[in-house]
């Protein structure tokens, strides 16, 4: 298993897996928590509904107690006046025959009480067990009677109550008191689906908790939170938390991926650096060996003809030039890394620079049998460049063209101009570069590790330096290359440097 795979597995085990497990756990417990919260709310609201019912019952019980306490000399006015929802009070015996009503109102008095006979019998039974139960019965749309039985003497009492007036005046006050700013409470009549009272009439009750009103048959009291219902609030919380968990997971995965990329890149750099050391050593050793060999031959005076001597001197000179270029490349690279060298711009003729660069490689090109084509534009203006470093860039590109051409040995150097730029093209018909490497060849130490490149030695710095030099001149460099066909580098340099 290679080291990047190991890093990936380590990251997955240390960061991603625990985070993922945690998220799955959080999401599954999220549902439970929301369920619990919802149940808690439900119970609280139930308690509120219970207290409303209890209060209503208390009010009715207090009326019943007052009547029973004053019996048989009931001061009806003292009961009726402060309680406008009570329309009248009916007193009758358990046989429901003799019936009195205060104040007398024929409508209620003539209600057929006999249909409630069973209810009355039940109340009497309770009374014999010393329990005064209140039994509500509906007698019309707007009226109902609270029936109860007194103990001594045993009489059936009916408190005739106006529904709406009781709900609005008595229960309404209590509901408004409870609701305050957080809740909305309302009382609905089931048979007509009509809202009799609401603490906030503008709100529709669609999904609310509800309980029947004990004392009012056919009526329910409903409750909900102001703004959102409990279910909506629980859903909201659920989705908000879910989004948060997913978001955190995404950030974590992105972070882990970023760390993985960073480590992978660093490891690649370390590997490239160690390749670089062995490549550079080789690059230094070859010219040194040649220089030494020819210098020794000359020193031993083994060379007979003057022509041969000149040839050997030439080789020594070129090899030292090659050494100088390599060392310059490394020095330039370290200056480039530390950003310590500033360009010294001076107006210069690009055609001249290219011609003198080519002349340095002339011998090598001839020796290797290159066909060289130079197409230099005649009307090129001089442009501001740092001649020393631009020369270095051209050297590197021509060096590469020579180094990476095996069968078809062809070099073309071309200049032209556009509106604001000078274009320089350096083209060969060599081994070419596969598309996947095009972006990477400009990175430091990067070498294509296939085919001839394994045998053609290099430092992997050449194009990184060229790229840096061209960018420092506010220019661009592009590569156009196909494997087996050749490579063309196109450089643009601006006619003027920005201030
Ligand atoms: P090197 O010292 O290896 O030549 P460079 O930075 O100059 O380093 O180039 C990086 C890589 O780009 C080379 O290793 C080679 O694979 C590829 N390359 C550069 N120029 C050419 C070219 N003209 N033809 C084919 N491949 C090239």
């Amino acid at each position: 298993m290679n080291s990047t795979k190991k890093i990936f597995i380590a990251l997955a085990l240390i960061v991603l897996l625990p985070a993922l497990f945690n998220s799955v756990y959080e999401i599954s417990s999220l549902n439970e928590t929301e369920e619990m919260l919802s149940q808690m709310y439900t119970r609280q609201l139930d308690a509120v509904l219970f207290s409303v019912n209890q209060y209503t019952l208390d009010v009715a019980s207090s009326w019943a107690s007052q009547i029973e306490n004053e019996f048989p000399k009931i001061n009806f006015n003292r009961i009726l006046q402060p309680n406008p929802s009570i329309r009248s009070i009916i007193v009758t015996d358990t046989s429901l025959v003799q019936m009195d009503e205060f104040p007398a109102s024929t409508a209620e008095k003539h209600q057929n009480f006999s249909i409630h006979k069973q209810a009355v019998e039940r109340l009497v039974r309770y009374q014999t067990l010393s329990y005064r139960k209140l039994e509500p019965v509906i007698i019309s749309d707007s009226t109902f009677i609270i029936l109860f039985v007194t103990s001594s003497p045993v009489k059936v009492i009916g408190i005739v109550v106006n529904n709406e007036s009781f709900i609005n005046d008595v229960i309404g006050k209590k509901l408004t008191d409870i609701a305050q700013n957080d809740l909305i409470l309302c009382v609905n009549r089931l048979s007509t689906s009509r809202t009799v009272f609401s603490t906030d009439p503008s709100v529709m009750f669609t999904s609310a908790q509800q309980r029947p009103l004990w004392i009012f048959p056919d009526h329910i009291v409903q409750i909900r939170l102001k703004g959102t219902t409990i279910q909506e609030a629980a859903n909201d919380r659920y989705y908000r938390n879910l989004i948060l968990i997913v978001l955190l997971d995404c950030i974590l995965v992105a972070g882990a991926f970023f760390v993985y990329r960073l480590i992978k890149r660093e490891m690649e750099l370390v590997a490239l650096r160690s390749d670089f050391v062995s490549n550079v050593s080789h690059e230094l050793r070859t010219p040194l060996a040649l220089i030494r060999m020819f210098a020794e031959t000359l020193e031993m005076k083994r060379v007979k003809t003057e022509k041969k001597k000149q040839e050997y001197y030439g080789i020594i000179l070129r090899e030292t030039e090659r050494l100088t270029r390599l060392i310059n490349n490394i020095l330039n690279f370290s200056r480039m890394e530390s950003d310590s060298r500033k360009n010294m711009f001076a107006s210069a003729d690009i055609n001249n620079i290219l011609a003198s660069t080519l002349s340095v490689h002339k011998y090598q090109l001839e020796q290797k049998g290159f066909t060289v084509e130079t197409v230099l534009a005649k009307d090129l203006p001089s442009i501001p460049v740092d001649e020393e470093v631009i020369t270095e860039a051209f050297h590197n590109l021509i060096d590469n063209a020579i180094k990476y051409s095996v069968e078809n040995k062809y070099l073309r150097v071309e200049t032209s101009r556009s509106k604001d730029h000078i274009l320089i093209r350096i083209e060969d018909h060599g081994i070419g570069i596969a598309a996947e490497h095009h972006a990477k060849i400009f990175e430091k130490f990067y070498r294509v590790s296939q085919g001839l490149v394994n045998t053609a030695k290099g430092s992997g710095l050449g194009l990184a330096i060229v790229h840096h030099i061209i960018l420092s001149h506010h220019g661009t460099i592009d590569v156009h290359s196909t494997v087996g066909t050749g490579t063309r580098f196109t450089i643009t340099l601006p006619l003027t440097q920005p201030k």
Side-chain angles (χ1 to χ4, degrees):
M1 201 184 331
N2 68 27
S3 10
T4 42
K5 258 191 197 150
K6 279 189 202 151
I7 301 170
F8 181 75
I9 292 173
L11 272 177
L13 284 178
I14 298 168
V15 184
L16 295 182
L17 271 187
L20 228 64
F21 274 129
N22 186 42
S23 300
V24 171
Y25 174 75
E26 288 283 331
I27 290 171
S28 58
S29 61
L30 212 57
N31 246 336
E32 282 169 29
T33 321
E34 299 311 324
E35 190 73 18
M36 257 170 55
L37 266 178
S38 170
Q39 274 178 14
M40 264 165 59
Y41 277 128
T42 312
R43 272 191 226 121
Q44 269 188 8
L45 296 191
D46 252 2
V48 173
L49 292 181
F50 184 87
S51 81
V52 171
N53 260 329
Q54 192 59 53
Y55 172 77
T56 322
L57 194 65
D58 287 349
V59 172
S61 292
S62 72
W63 292 343
S65 300
Q66 196 176 346
I67 292 169
E68 191 167 11
N69 290 343
E70 292 186 6
F71 206 80
K73 287 194 173 141
I74 309 168
N75 184 343
F76 289 104
N77 280 338
R78 231 184 26 225
I79 300 170
L80 292 172
Q81 253 172 18
N83 298 300
S85 53
I86 303 179
R87 290 180 58 169
S88 62
I89 295 167
I90 297 169
V91 181
T92 171
D93 53 19
T94 48
S95 59
L96 307 177
V97 178
Q98 178 62 42
M99 198 174 287
D100 295 311
E101 184 175 16
F102 306 92
S105 117
T106 43
E108 268 77 37
K109 186 174 170 185
H110 293 294
Q111 278 295 329
N112 189 356
F113 260 59
S114 58
I115 57 166
H116 304 301
K117 204 168 170 51
Q118 277 191 340
V120 172
E121 278 168 6
R122 225 178 16 249
L123 293 178
V124 174
R125 255 201 322 276
Y126 281 126
Q127 188 50 254
T128 52
L129 297 170
S130 304
Y131 171 50
R132 189 191 65 210
K133 187 174 171 3
L134 303 181
E135 180 87 25
V137 293
I138 301 175
I139 54 167
S140 77
D141 271 354
S142 61
T143 329
F144 77 108
I145 300 181
I146 303 169
L147 287 178
F148 66 96
V149 174
T150 54
S151 53
S152 53
V154 177
K155 288 278 180 187
V156 178
I157 312 283
I159 306 173
V160 183
V161 180
N162 180 289
N163 292 348
E164 299 208 0
S165 150
F166 184 82
I167 290 170
N168 281 296
D169 300 341
V170 183
I171 305 180
K173 279 196 198 96
K174 179 73 177 170
L175 295 182
T176 311
D177 195 31
I178 293 172
Q180 299 208 355
N181 287 329
D182 315 319
L183 302 168
I184 307 173
L185 286 138
C186 78
V187 177
N188 282 352
R189 181 142 197 187
L190 280 176
S191 53
T192 56
S193 308
R194 205 172 73 79
T195 302
V196 185
F197 174 86
S198 175
T199 57
D200 187 348
S202 64
V203 174
M204 289 280 293
F205 274 66
T206 42
S207 57
Q209 267 169 268
Q210 59 185 52
R211 289 284 173 273
L213 264 181
W214 299 337
I215 205 82
F216 277 100
D218 199 30
H219 283 76
I220 52 163
V221 54
Q222 292 187 301
I223 188 165
R224 57 165 286 177
L225 288 176
K226 214 162 204 168
T228 46
T229 66
I230 299 154
Q231 200 51 45
E232 282 163 2
N235 279 352
D236 264 11
R237 268 181 55 91
Y238 176 77
Y239 286 115
R240 218 176 315 126
N241 288 346
L242 195 69
I243 289 170
L244 213 72
I245 290 173
V246 171
L247 208 75
L248 273 177
D249 276 355
C250 288
I251 293 173
L252 215 73
V253 169
F257 178 69
F258 184 69
V259 171
Y260 168 71
R261 281 276 306 267
L262 216 70
I263 297 177
K264 191 171 162 231
R265 178 93 198 93
E266 276 308 310
M267 289 183 60
E268 279 170 1
L269 259 184
V270 170
L272 287 174
R273 251 180 235 270
S274 77
D275 279 356
F276 165 78
V277 172
S278 79
N279 288 339
V280 167
S281 319
H282 183 277
E283 287 266 284
L284 288 172
R285 209 179 300 133
T286 319
L288 274 177
L290 282 175
I291 292 167
R292 188 187 174 125
M293 188 179 85
F294 287 105
E296 276 175 2
T297 317
L298 286 168
E299 194 196 20
M300 289 173 185
K301 301 204 173 21
R302 289 218 194 110
V303 191
K304 297 287 176 267
T305 64
E306 195 55 33
K307 196 174 163 229
K308 266 276 172 238
K309 270 190 197 161
Q310 285 308 318
E311 189 188 324
Y312 286 5
Y313 286 138
I315 291 173
I316 291 173
L317 195 67
R318 275 187 305 280
E319 288 306 317
T320 50
E321 275 169 1
R322 198 170 132 191
L323 269 182
T324 315
R325 271 210 304 282
L326 179 68
I327 290 163
N328 274 351
N329 253 350
I330 296 171
L331 283 177
N332 278 343
F333 173 73
S334 82
R335 282 198 209 114
M336 176 184 112
E337 286 273 273
S338 62
D339 228 4
S340 60
R341 188 185 189 283
K342 294 277 166 276
N343 285 337
M344 309 284 285
F345 287 103
S347 186
D349 184 340
I350 290 295
N351 283 346
N352 282 348
I353 298 176
L354 276 170
S356 68
T357 314
L358 270 173
S359 73
V360 173
H361 294 274
K362 190 166 173 264
Y363 179 82
Q364 201 184 1
L365 287 164
E366 276 174 12
Q367 279 278 306
K368 296 197 168 168
F370 267 82
T371 309
V372 180
E373 247 186 282
T374 45
V375 187
L376 305 179
K378 293 213 166 50
D379 57 345
L380 275 197
S382 293
I383 58 167
V385 290
D386 184 325
E387 199 167 330
E388 191 187 329
V389 292
I390 279 289
T391 310
E392 178 93 20
F394 294 159
H395 268 309
N396 284 347
L397 291 174
I398 294 170
D399 248 355
N400 280 353
I402 299 171
K403 204 159 54 174
Y404 299 114
S405 295
V406 192
E407 282 158 15
N408 197 348
K409 301 191 173 189
Y410 169 85
L411 172 68
R412 179 187 164 92
V413 177
E414 183 189 333
T415 56
S416 59
R417 73 164 283 187
S418 70
K419 191 165 160 266
D420 309 313
H421 291 88
I422 284 181
L423 275 78
I424 303 130
R425 291 199 179 87
I426 296 176
E427 184 178 338
D428 63 60
H429 289 172
I431 60 168
I433 308 163
E436 73 243 39
H437 302 293
H438 285 188
K440 291 192 162 175
I441 52 172
F442 296 105
E443 290 173 11
K444 59 187 178 187
F445 306 128
Y446 192 83
R447 307 195 71 228
V448 180
S449 54
Q450 274 158 12
L452 175 94
V453 189
N454 280 331
T455 47
K457 286 289 169 187
S459 58
L461 293 182
L463 288 183
I465 293 172
V466 175
H467 189 236
H468 181 81
I469 291 171
I470 302 302
L471 287 192
S472 72
H473 279 72
H474 303 99
T476 61
I477 177 162
D478 282 324
V479 62
H480 182 90
S481 182
T482 27
V483 175
T485 313
T487 307
R488 185 177 69 225
F489 286 98
T490 307
I491 293 171
T492 65
L493 289 173
L495 295 182
T496 53
Q497 286 295 322
K499 290 275 177 297

